[in-house]
């Protein structure tokens, strides 16, 4: 994909859309193949579903009836045919379609990610913009120090430490569950700290460049209010590189959500995937990967289109 900023070099939007969908489809196909064969490295599901004292002939019959004894390529071919008919399989343990199980857990993950990313954008844009007003000033140095520190903190370490401090030590917040607002505080804190640090640095750098541009100097000469200059004139032009980094962070937040849901006992898609891997529920793992991948592809697609809204001069070719 090549972005052209000249209005005379307008690309064909429909061609871009087709190419974007094609690339996403190829990536999704590769991911499906990878997950399908990696999942089967965990062993035969019969060892999990059946009691340890189950006779060998019963195990053999169970594996044969569910196709676990077939070669991996035969199983994959059967899976692709079912997938073409929008059939993602059925959970042997719950006797329900895998897609319905995944979609029950997905809203929790989606809400947690959306709330976290909203807080990240609000805090990082405000902090980075205000820090750019006076580069190397006291506030700028404080923001830069906090941003650099938070950008270096791993999610899993922060989650464990926050539980020890706020739940075990101070007993201010619950350790797990989704019973009330207090249950969401620590997961949101863990998910927002690192992206906030990364995006705040990008906002600060972009805003410093924007505030030193000619159109900002013109606005100042006309007597435009400082708040309007920062959050209207400069911020809009500074948002292009910010959106690029924010899109990467939003996609990477899915990985963080998996860890957070496991540590804090959130009944989301991340915890569902880990439980399904442990129980060798292949169909649920595959369905979860497809749903998450589609959500990420859609999010990246919308972010790309947001560039045009921020700067109408941009065209895709």
């Amino acid at each position: 994909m090549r972005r052209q900023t000249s209005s005379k070099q307008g690309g064909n939007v429909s061609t871009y859309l087709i190419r974007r969908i094609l690339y996403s489809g190829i990536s999704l196909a590769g991911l499906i193949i990878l997950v399908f064969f990696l999942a089967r490295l965990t062993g035969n599901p019969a060892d999990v579903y059946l009691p340890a004292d189950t006779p060998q002939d019963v195990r053999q019959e169970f594996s044969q009836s569910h196709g676990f004894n077939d070669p991996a390529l035969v199983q994959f071919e059967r899976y692709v045919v079912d997938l073409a008919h929008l059939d993602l399989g059925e959970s042997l343990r719950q006797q329900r379609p895998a897609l319905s199980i995944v979609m029950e857990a997905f809203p929790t993950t989606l809400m947690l990610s959306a709330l976290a990313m909203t807080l990240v954008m609000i805090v990082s844009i405000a902090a980075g913009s205000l820090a750019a007003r006076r580069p190397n000033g006291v506030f700028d140095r404080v923001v830069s120090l906090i941003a650099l520190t938070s950008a270096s903190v791993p999610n899993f370490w922060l989650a464990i430490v926050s539980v020890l401090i706020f739940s075990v030590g101070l007993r201010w917040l619950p350790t797990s569950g989704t019973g009330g607002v207090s249950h969401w505080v620590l997961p949101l804190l863990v998910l927002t700290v690192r992206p906030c640090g990364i995006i705040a640095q990008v906002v600060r750098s972009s805003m410093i460049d924007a505030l030193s541009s000619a159109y900002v100097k013109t606005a100042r000469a006309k007597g435009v209010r400082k708040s309007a200059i920062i959050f209207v004139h400069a911020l809009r032009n500074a948002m292009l590189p910010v959106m690029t980094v924010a899109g990467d962070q939003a996609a990477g937040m899915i990985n963080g959500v998996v860890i957070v849901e496991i540590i804090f006992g959130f009944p989301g898609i991340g915890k569902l995937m880990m439980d399904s891997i442990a129980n060798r529920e292949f169909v649920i793992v595959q369905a979860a990967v497809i749903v998450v991948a589609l959500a990420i592809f859609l999010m990246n697609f919308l972010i790309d289109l947001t560039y045009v809204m921020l700067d109408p001069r941009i065209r895709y070719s």
Side-chain angles (χ1 to χ4, degrees):
M1 183 181 67
R2 178 164 50 96
R3 295 186 178 90
Q4 300 175 340
T5 57
S6 173
S7 59
K8 297 181 180 179
Q9 298 176 332
N12 191 316
V13 176
S14 61
T15 301
Y16 163 73
L17 294 178
I18 295 174
R19 185 183 296 116
R20 196 73 170 90
I21 293 173
L22 179 61
Y23 290 160
S24 298
I26 294 174
S27 300
L28 180 61
L31 187 61
I32 290 173
I33 294 173
L34 182 64
V35 172
F36 182 90
F37 288 102
L38 286 179
R40 276 146 184 80
L41 296 178
T42 61
N44 194 327
D47 297 334
V48 175
Y49 297 134
L50 301 178
D53 57 352
T54 301
Q56 186 61 32
D57 57 337
V58 176
R59 289 177 178 272
Q60 186 68 20
E61 182 181 355
F62 177 86
S63 298
Q64 186 67 33
S65 62
H66 290 90
F68 297 140
N69 288 339
D70 295 336
L73 290 177
V74 175
Q75 295 184 47
F76 180 70
E77 180 182 359
R78 186 165 56 241
Y79 176 71
V80 171
V81 172
D82 293 339
L83 190 60
H85 293 85
L86 302 181
D87 181 6
L88 301 185
E90 183 177 278
S91 168
L92 294 177
R93 185 178 296 274
Q94 301 186 38
Q95 296 297 309
R96 290 196 298 148
L99 183 58
S100 65
I101 298 174
V102 172
M103 294 310 295
E104 288 177 0
F106 189 60
T108 301
T109 298
L110 187 61
M111 182 177 295
L112 184 61
S113 301
L115 287 174
M117 203 61 206
T118 301
L119 291 174
V120 167
M121 296 304 294
I122 293 174
V123 174
S124 59
I125 289 176
S129 299
L130 294 176
R133 291 180 60 186
R134 294 184 178 86
N136 298 320
V138 176
F139 185 78
D140 179 32
R141 293 181 181 182
V142 172
V143 170
S144 298
L145 177 60
I146 296 176
L148 288 171
T149 304
S150 61
S152 306
V153 177
N155 281 345
F156 71 91
W157 181 86
L158 182 60
I160 295 173
V161 171
S162 62
V163 169
L164 291 175
I165 295 176
F166 297 106
S167 299
V168 178
L170 299 175
R171 300 184 182 275
W172 288 353
L173 298 168
T175 58
S176 61
T178 56
V181 176
S182 60
H183 292 79
W184 292 72
V185 175
L186 287 182
L188 287 174
L189 173 66
V190 172
L191 286 174
T192 56
V193 166
R194 190 169 186 272
C196 266
I198 295 174
I199 297 177
Q201 295 178 71
V202 179
V203 172
R204 174 190 175 276
S205 177
S206 298
M207 285 295 291
I208 289 176
D209 293 337
L211 289 172
S212 62
S213 60
Y215 65 88
V216 170
K217 294 179 181 178
T218 302
R220 286 173 176 167
K222 291 181 178 180
V224 179
R225 291 182 304 173
K226 291 184 178 180
S227 59
I229 292 176
I230 294 175
F231 294 106
V232 177
H233 298 280
L235 184 59
R236 176 168 180 169
N237 290 276
M239 282 301 292
L240 289 176
V242 174
M243 289 303 298
T244 301
V245 177
D248 293 338
Q249 291 301 311
M253 187 173 287
I254 301 297
N255 297 326
V257 169
V258 173
I259 298 174
V260 167
E261 288 180 349
I262 294 173
I263 294 178
F264 294 103
F266 251 64
I269 202 169
K271 187 174 185 300
L272 175 65
M273 289 178 65
M274 294 302 298
D275 293 341
S276 300
I277 292 173
N279 295 326
R280 298 176 190 173
E281 287 270 22
F282 298 153
V283 293
I284 296 181
V285 175
Q286 291 158 187
V289 169
I290 292 175
V291 170
V292 172
L294 288 175
I296 292 176
F297 291 151
L298 177 60
M299 178 179 58
N300 288 332
F301 179 75
L302 294 176
I303 289 173
D304 285 340
L305 294 183
T306 304
Y307 280 102
V308 180
M309 298 175 59
L310 292 173
D311 190 346
R313 296 171 301 172
I314 293 179
R315 295 293 183 267
Y316 293 92
S317 63

